[in-house]
Amino acid sequence: MRKVDAEHIEAITLGASVYGTDGGSDPDIGKLIAMDMLRRHGSVPMIDVDSLLPDDLVVPVALVGAPTLAIDKFPSTQQFIGALAALEKTLGRKASVLMCAEAGGLNATLAFAVASQVGLPLLDGDLVGRAWPELQMALCDDRGNTVVMETVTNQHTERFVRSLLGDMGGSACAALFPMTGAQAKLAANTGSLTKLREAGDTILAARRNKLGSGTSA
Amino acid sequence: MYRIGIDVGGTNTDAVLMDGVDVLHAVKTATSTDVMTGVLAVLRKVISGSGIRAADLRAVMIGTTHFTNAITERRALARVGVIRLALPATQSLQPLSGWPEDIAAAIRADVHIVGSGFEFDGREIAPVVAAEIRAAAEAFSANGIRNVAISGVSSLIDDSQERRAARLLHEVMPDARVTLSSEVGGVGLLELENAAILNASLGDLGHSIMDALGNAMAQAGIAAPLFLTRNDGTLMSAERAARFPILTVACGPTNSMRGAAFLSKETDAIVIDIGGNTSDVGVLHQGFPRAVDAVIDVGGVRTNFRMPDIRTIALGGGTRISADYESIGPESVGYRLHEEALVFGGRTLTASDIAVAGGLAGFGDRDFVAHLDRDSVDRCITRMQDKLAAAVDRVRVSDISVPLLVVGGASALAGDRLGGLVVTRPPHFAVANAVGAAMAQASGKYERLLDLDTLSRGEKK
């Protein structure tokens, strides 16, 4: 288990920019939100899949919708809390571990912000490239409206979400695809958050040592 | 068509008289601490030196670093009132999030986030509540604030709420200077808002500088219109410049590069402008400065202006050199070069002195630097040129050889070759920035968001 503090977010954001490969909106917005949250609510414990208990409830969180709009009407962690609460109510259980849905772009840094505020550990991993076992999704917009969907196929989730997002203002905060600890061990793309931080640390060290061409004048 | 282009830099104020595309006359004078004295001096010099009559002038264009410097030096910035039209959204990032502490402290913003804003498709999130705007205005008045920035979610799509808020504010504060984020442009709420806040903080300085420039024009007997150059190399009227001083940021490097392109007739080149305090390196691509695509930070604050991709290093004609020749800057004597440098009878060892002692330049009095140790001088020159070469290297994206244009008053520092590229100094290289200002053109921008769902087929075409 490692503790992630506000000062680690800079490296994680750089890594998220690299791994985001220009998608996933602007990680800097997530950086500002995450650093603010970590300063106010404290560090985030980051845990490996191996530490998961079989009956943990692992809930990924993500901003869904148009990335360009997220830099205008930026998301608030309050919306994630709303989405999480709606999902927990449907499932009749509380989340014990949060998870990042995609380790790149804005969603990487947002996951830390949410974990800090709700006080839950964050799994070192993400969902990219994986098929997930459950298809419940709870969405929460900036006015506190929540919508919980339980669909039979991924394609249905996709279609319903796209219809809803327009009315919600282009993007919404989601708690989605919950899984047990046992399922997460099989399904998660493990260690990806550590990879972000290592990439970011490498870049920062290179800048400090003035290796390569760098970007600061 | 006679026109005068002026560049007000950190050390020198340069002016050129142009007729069409011909440079008829060029002058340099030291930049004054107030703006007017130096500009008036250079206007008079260029008119008398060229023999034209003030009445024959069609326009005067000025590029100045005054506003950029005020921000980077945290100087002469006014207190700002901020109104963001956004609730219930955007509470996760307050206005001024991420601002360096010193500039946030310099402007001591009074921030009010109120309900309203627009969705991306133009639907109103909530209407502007007049009582909330009036309350903010009362608070600003009580705090003696008269410069206000108003930002709103999706204001570029629909600016009517920002304009309504401004009208309501003026009912309470008729003399307030208001900057709407939708007027300064860019994408992203924080960036737009930051640009508006920076502009508001320049409100007092903007008006006083434009008044001073207007006075200088009047005293020089010039009735022709005055324009200021913008960050993208185009012009804006004096009235607009007083209201939007933030738009002049980075006009200096843009003018140098455009001037260098025009004078050398090169369209693709690397350009170094070596001035009094700094050297700026940029790339010309098809006649225009290569622009930065990403978020631009102005004085450490995120914004979204289209600016040239410039690498700046603290090496210029006035850069202080330590007595043991080891330390090169970053401090500079700035506009006091003619009082402080050894070659001008002063007592401070500067890069200019090294250049003269090493035979790169011939201004001032060589006898005043005859005592400098020749080997140390040569080593110092090598180190200065290495710094320039490293900056050139950082802007190159391929190893294809391109012309290396060196302009600016201290261009002698570059020598004849830098990093394997041959140095070219175009005609009138010392005043390339003033030429760039004189060559700047009027421009306009038209942006509209179109809803493809509601347009008919014919309209879409």
Side-chain angles (χ1 to χ4, degrees):
Chain A
M1 190 269 279
R2 277 138 293 151
K3 277 180 152 207
V4 176
D5 291 309
E7 66 251 25
H8 303 134
I9 296 293
E10 170 98 47
I12 290 167
T13 306
L14 273 174
S17 306
V18 173
Y19 278 87
T21 57
D22 209 34
S25 190
D26 184 356
D28 262 359
I29 297 284
K31 173 175 101 171
L32 289 174
I33 296 174
M35 287 175 92
D36 184 43
M37 282 297 137
L38 267 73
R39 280 187 203 117
R40 288 206 266 150
H41 300 284
S43 55
V44 174
M46 197 159 73
I47 62 175
D48 292 327
V49 274
D50 299 328
S51 320
L52 289 175
L53 301 170
D55 59 354
D56 265 322
L57 181 63
V58 183
V59 178
V61 291
L63 180 79
V64 295
T68 329
L69 299 180
I71 62 170
D72 210 45
K73 201 176 70 159
F74 14 90
S76 118
T77 45
Q78 211 46 49
Q79 294 170 246
F80 284 106
I81 290 172
L84 192 60
L87 191 69
E88 288 171 333
K89 191 167 150 195
T90 301
L91 297 174
R93 287 186 59 185
K94 287 213 163 282
S96 54
V97 178
L98 289 182
M99 188 172 168
C100 174
E102 57 179 352
L106 184 54
N107 275 321
T109 37
L110 277 183
F112 287 93
V114 181
S116 173
Q117 188 171 11
V118 302
L120 286 177
L122 185 67
L123 185 69
D124 183 2
D126 71 311
L127 289 178
V128 171
R130 300 306 196 253
W132 28 87
E134 296 284 338
L135 294 170
Q136 293 99 337
M137 178 190 286
L139 294 172
C140 183
D141 73 1
D142 57 298
R143 265 151 285 200
N145 296 309
T146 58
V147 175
V148 179
M149 286 186 294
E150 289 183 87
T151 51
V152 292
T153 70
N154 211 6
Q155 285 77 10
H156 282 104
T157 310
E158 188 64 25
R159 277 174 28 215
F160 296 161
V161 163
R162 297 301 150 198
S163 301
L164 265 177
L165 285 179
D167 283 325
M168 282 183 155
S171 56
C173 295
L176 66 170
F177 310 146
M179 57 194 96
T180 62
Q183 288 170 328
K185 283 191 191 195
L186 296 174
N189 182 18
T190 61
S192 46
L193 294 182
T194 298
K195 285 207 181 74
L196 294 191
R197 185 169 157 184
E198 285 171 353
D201 281 337
T202 305
I203 295 172
L204 288 172
R207 283 184 187 168
R208 272 194 304 273
N209 300 327
K210 298 193 191 305
L211 295 173
S213 54
T215 53
S216 28
Chain B
M1 189 194 90
Y2 294 130
R3 60 197 192 288
I4 293 177
I6 295 179
D7 179 86
V8 181
T11 305
N12 285 320
T13 295
D14 304 332
V16 292
L17 176 73
M18 294 190 67
D19 182 6
V21 296
D22 297 317
V23 177
L24 300 183
H25 197 68
V27 298
K28 268 184 181 297
T29 192
T31 292
S32 54
T33 0
D34 72 335
V35 181
M36 195 183 114
T37 312
V39 171
L40 180 57
V42 89
L43 280 171
R44 283 182 168 149
K45 267 168 107 166
V46 77
I47 291 172
S48 65
S50 62
I52 64 148
R53 298 174 308 155
D56 294 333
L57 282 168
R58 290 284 299 277
V60 174
M61 293 85 150
I62 299 185
T64 177
T65 59
H66 253 86
F67 302 116
T68 316
N69 292 344
I71 293 174
T72 53
E73 293 166 23
R74 303 3 183 163
R75 193 180 36 82
L77 299 175
R79 266 204 86 176
V80 175
V82 180
I83 298 178
R84 182 197 278 179
L85 308 166
L87 291 181
T90 76
Q91 295 179 76
S92 51
L93 288 178
Q94 298 288 300
L96 284 87
S97 284
W99 277 48
E101 274 193 46
D102 57 349
I103 188 170
I107 68 168
R108 288 191 301 139
D110 184 8
V111 174
H112 296 253
I113 309 184
V114 301
S116 60
F118 288 100
E119 302 284 10
F120 69 95
D121 59 2
R123 277 176 296 141
E124 216 178 30
I125 293 174
V128 170
V129 177
E132 289 181 329
I133 305 297
R134 291 199 187 104
E138 304 283 359
F140 297 155
S141 289
N143 284 324
I145 290 174
R146 56 177 301 200
N147 292 287
V148 178
I150 299 180
S151 65
V153 176
S154 303
S155 59
L156 283 183
I157 286 162
D158 190 329
D159 65 357
S160 58
Q161 284 184 351
E162 284 190 347
R163 288 186 288 111
R164 173 137 201 270
R167 278 196 301 274
L168 288 165
L169 189 94
H170 277 130
E171 284 171 13
V172 177
M173 306 168 71
D175 296 328
R177 293 195 191 110
V178 180
T179 304
L180 303 183
S181 76
S182 51
E183 291 176 311
V184 287
V187 183
L189 177 61
L190 275 188
E191 290 83 358
L192 265 180
E193 189 176 71
N194 287 344
I197 295 173
L198 286 173
N199 194 60
S201 75
L202 290 171
D204 294 345
L205 190 64
H207 280 81
S208 67
I209 297 277
M210 294 318 297
D211 281 345
L213 290 175
N215 281 339
M217 295 271 289
Q219 289 198 35
I222 301 172
L226 171 64
F227 298 95
L228 254 61
T229 58
R230 284 188 48 161
N231 58 316
D232 58 4
T234 63
L235 297 174
M236 56 179 168
S237 67
E239 293 72 31
R240 212 168 147 71
R243 288 180 55 218
F244 298 107
I246 194 66
L247 296 178
T248 64
V249 167
C251 72
T254 304
N255 288 342
S256 296
M257 293 184 65
R258 294 271 292 140
F262 169 74
L263 291 167
S264 65
K265 304 195 189 337
E266 299 280 2
T267 55
D268 293 77
I270 294 175
V271 181
I272 313 180
D273 180 358
I274 309 182
N277 304 327
T278 59
S279 295
D280 296 324
V281 187
V283 178
L284 269 174
H285 184 59
Q286 297 179 349
F288 282 87
R290 186 178 72 196
V292 188
D293 258 329
V295 168
I296 301 302
D297 110 31
V298 175
V301 176
R302 292 167 69 97
T303 62
N304 219 319
F305 293 116
R306 202 167 162 70
M307 306 242 268
D309 188 5
I310 301 280
R311 294 289 179 270
T312 299
I313 60 173
L315 172 61
T319 297
R320 290 174 189 261
I321 312 287
S322 60
D324 61 2
Y325 303 91
E326 286 300 306
S327 256
I328 300 174
E331 300 84 21
S332 160
V333 298
Y335 61 85
R336 296 186 51 76
L337 184 69
H338 294 272
E339 284 91 19
E340 305 253 6
L342 300 182
V343 289
F344 295 122
R347 290 199 293 223
T348 308
L349 180 60
T350 65
S352 289
D353 299 312
I354 300 287
V356 173
L360 291 179
F363 48 78
D365 191 333
R366 276 204 79 164
D367 291 342
F368 289 148
V369 292
H371 65 286
L372 299 179
D373 171 61
R374 191 52 202 251
D375 284 338
S376 301
V377 163
D378 287 343
R379 273 199 303 275
C380 193
I381 288 175
T382 301
R383 284 174 50 225
M384 292 195 295
Q385 292 180 348
D386 283 347
K387 279 178 185 273
L388 290 170
V392 168
D393 207 51
R394 288 213 298 275
V395 299
R396 290 176 79 176
V397 292
S398 81
D399 59 358
I400 297 172
S401 199
V402 280
L404 176 59
L405 306 175
V406 180
V407 297
S411 60
L413 286 177
D416 297 321
R417 287 188 83 89
L418 277 182
L421 294 176
V422 173
V423 167
T424 305
R425 291 179 182 80
H428 305 291
F429 62 83
V431 290
N433 41 20
V435 172
M439 295 305 297
Q441 295 169 329
S443 78
K445 194 166 69 167
Y446 184 69
E447 284 175 343
R448 252 189 84 194
L449 209 79
L450 299 172
D451 184 347
L452 295 176
D453 285 342
T454 59
L455 287 178
S456 71
R457 260 193 105 90
E459 282 173 320
K460 279 178 202 176
K461 281 206 205 148

